[in-house]
């Protein structure tokens, strides 16, 4: 569907596999489940940010940038993949991470250091409020920073998931899958915006369902679904302006675009591992030999399991769970994973 005019850095191995989950499906007694393995994107232990970074850094390279600047939590998967991508492309990498300098290095933070990223500790803020000042400082040093937003979620990051949806559609067609729903973890919103927009552009019949991971992404003034919808609208416009999709398709989204979000699974907040994440991680590990992560995919799978137990998805259509990566954070959360 995308015509391929936007520059794209080559960072991952595509397509990522689409695999059946027969033993987990049987254990839950629900629909046939499949998994889209973006934990195997190939860059530095994988994850959904690899897709976004191909477009974000393709654009940064075209602009002649020499340093990547981005932000996240201390255990950010986005920052780990950004640091690896920067190393591969020969860019310097600066990360603004929430929290303070740690006494021990593990999980994603250890990997950031191995990739040679410069880390700026930004205390309470993990969503990149420090980024403009950091970019300004680098410009003052004569550098050309590429400012990548929190989670890589601007229109280019979302565009990567318009492309990803097309990849999935090719695979479901080849496998003869009658698709009822695609379910995934939604946090900074780029994955969600891209998949929701693409499903409509592809005239797909299935539901596109994000599971909300992080309460902080919605606030009193703007509900998270509104922000995802606005990002999808902006993505549609920019793709049309870039000649990647036609203007009619973009305006069809603007008339009908809807965002579906399950909000009931946020437990005790972002990154707090509870009984639902423990069960989902354990069931998937023991029935399929597949690792989910404690912050995103463990929570999203817990939501899907709960919905299946409540009788949702009981028609004869299959469900694809989009594995967005994150397993390096398992080790950071070892104690909470083993308690209870
Ligand atoms: C970033 C991330 C997500 C959420 O994707 P967004 O596009 O930020 O909503 C889900 N899972 C993992 C493992 C992630 O690192």
């Amino acid at each position: 569907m995308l015509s391929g005019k936007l520059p794209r850095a080559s960072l991952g191995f595509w397509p990522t596999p689409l695999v059946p989950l027969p033993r987990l499906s049987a254990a839950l007694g629900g629909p046939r489940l499949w998994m889209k393995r973006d934990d195997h994107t190939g860059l530095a232990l994988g994850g959904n940010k690899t897709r976004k970074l191909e477009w974000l850094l393709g654009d940064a390279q075209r602009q002649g940038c020499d340093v990547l600047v981005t932000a996240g939590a201390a255990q950010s998967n986005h920052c780990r993949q950004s640091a690896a991508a920067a190393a591969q492309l020969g860019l310097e990498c600066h990360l603004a991470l929430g929290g303070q300098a740690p006494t021990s290095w593990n999980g994603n933070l250890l990997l950031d250091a191995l990739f040679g990223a410069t880390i700026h500790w930004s205390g309470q803020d993990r969503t990149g409020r420090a980024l403009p000042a950091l970019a300004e400082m680098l410009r003052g040093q004569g550098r050309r920073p590429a400012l990548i937003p929190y989670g890589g979620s601007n229109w280019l990051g979302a565009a990567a998931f318009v492309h990803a949806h097309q990849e999935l559609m090719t695979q479901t067609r080849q496998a003869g899958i009658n698709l009822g729903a695609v379910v995934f973890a939604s946090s900074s919103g780029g994955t969600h915006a891209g998949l929701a927009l693409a499903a409509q552009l592809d005239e797909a019949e299935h539901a596109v369902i994000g599971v909300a991971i992080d309460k902080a992404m919605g606030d009193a003034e703007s509900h998270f679904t509104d922000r995802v919808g606005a990002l999808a609208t902006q993505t549609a416009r920019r793709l049309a302006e870039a000649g990647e999709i036609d203007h009619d398709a973009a305006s069809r989204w603007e008339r009908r675009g809807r965002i579906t979000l399950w909000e009931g699974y946020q437990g005790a907040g972002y990154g707090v591992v509870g009984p639902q994440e423990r069960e989902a991680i354990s069931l998937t590990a023991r029935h399929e030999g597949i690792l989910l992560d404690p912050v995103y995919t463990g929570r999203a799978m817990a939501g899907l399991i709960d919905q299946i137990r409540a009788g949702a998805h009981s028609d004869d259509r299959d469900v694809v769970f989009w594995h967005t990566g994150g397993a390096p954070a398992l080790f950071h959360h070892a104690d909470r994973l083993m308690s209870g």
Side-chain angles (χ1 to χ4, degrees), residues 32-327:
R32 254 194 337 160
L33 298 174
W34 299 76
M35 188 179 274
K36 178 67 170 153
R37 299 296 303 272
D38 270 12
D39 53 329
H40 285 277
T41 55
L43 177 72
L45 304 180
N48 63 338
K49 304 311 181 306
T50 305
R51 292 188 184 274
K52 299 179 181 183
L53 287 163
E54 289 204 333
W55 266 268
L56 291 162
L57 295 182
D59 185 58
Q61 285 189 305
R62 182 178 58 179
Q63 293 179 40
C65 295
D66 57 6
V67 47
L68 184 169
V69 182
T70 196
Q75 282 296 326
S76 166
N77 301 299
H78 163 65
C79 288
R80 179 247 311 159
Q81 288 162 85
S82 295
Q88 183 187 323
L89 299 177
L91 306 169
E92 206 178 292
C93 180
H94 286 251
L95 302 175
L97 299 184
Q100 326 290 333
T103 48
S104 75
W105 295 73
N106 73 16
N108 284 305
L109 182 57
L110 167 67
L111 303 184
D112 294 344
L114 293 180
F115 292 122
T118 301
I119 293 168
H120 305 263
W121 292 103
S122 48
Q124 293 286 307
D125 177 49
R126 60 179 160 85
T127 59
R129 267 180 257 141
L131 286 182
L134 193 51
E136 205 41 52
M137 181 196 84
L138 290 161
R139 270 186 222 106
Q141 297 170 1
R143 312 298 306 277
R144 303 194 62 174
L147 203 159
I148 308 287
Y150 179 71
S153 283
N154 59 14
W155 77 272
L156 276 170
F161 271 88
V162 174
H163 190 271
H165 188 265
Q166 200 171 23
E167 183 182 300
L168 175 68
M169 290 300 91
T170 303
Q171 290 172 315
T172 53
R173 227 173 285 125
Q174 279 166 356
I177 294 172
N178 181 9
L179 187 58
V182 178
V183 178
F184 53 90
S186 186
S187 174
S188 71
T191 302
H192 203 161
L195 292 178
L197 170 61
Q200 191 177 307
L201 294 175
D202 288 340
E203 295 175 8
E205 304 274 305
H206 59 263
V208 174
I209 302 166
V211 183
I213 298 303
D214 185 356
K215 276 199 183 75
M217 297 312 294
D219 55 37
E221 290 104 70
S222 62
H223 194 267
F224 181 60
T225 51
D226 296 335
R227 290 174 44 189
V228 175
L231 178 56
T233 300
Q234 190 201 8
T235 305
R237 277 197 204 133
R238 297 297 294 263
L239 286 174
E241 281 162 21
E244 291 274 350
I245 62 174
D246 64 55
H247 286 275
D248 287 351
S251 63
R252 272 200 300 281
W253 163 266
E254 290 189 36
R255 280 200 307 279
R256 295 214 331 252
R258 267 183 302 114
I259 300 297
T260 307
L261 185 73
W262 290 343
E263 294 183 85
Y265 302 103
Q266 297 172 80
Y270 178 76
V272 182
V273 178
Q276 57 168 11
E277 289 83 21
R278 276 199 289 275
E279 191 206 10
I281 290 169
S282 164
L283 275 176
T284 309
R286 291 172 189 220
H287 288 92
E288 298 290 349
I290 292 174
L291 296 172
L292 298 177
D293 84 285
V295 179
Y296 298 93
T297 54
R299 184 163 285 181
M301 183 63 91
L304 177 57
I305 289 170
D306 182 64
Q307 293 282 328
I308 289 172
R309 285 176 178 156
H313 307 294
S314 52
D315 58 13
D316 60 359
R317 295 192 297 165
D318 294 5
V319 173
V320 169
F321 181 85
W322 204 300
H323 193 323
T324 44

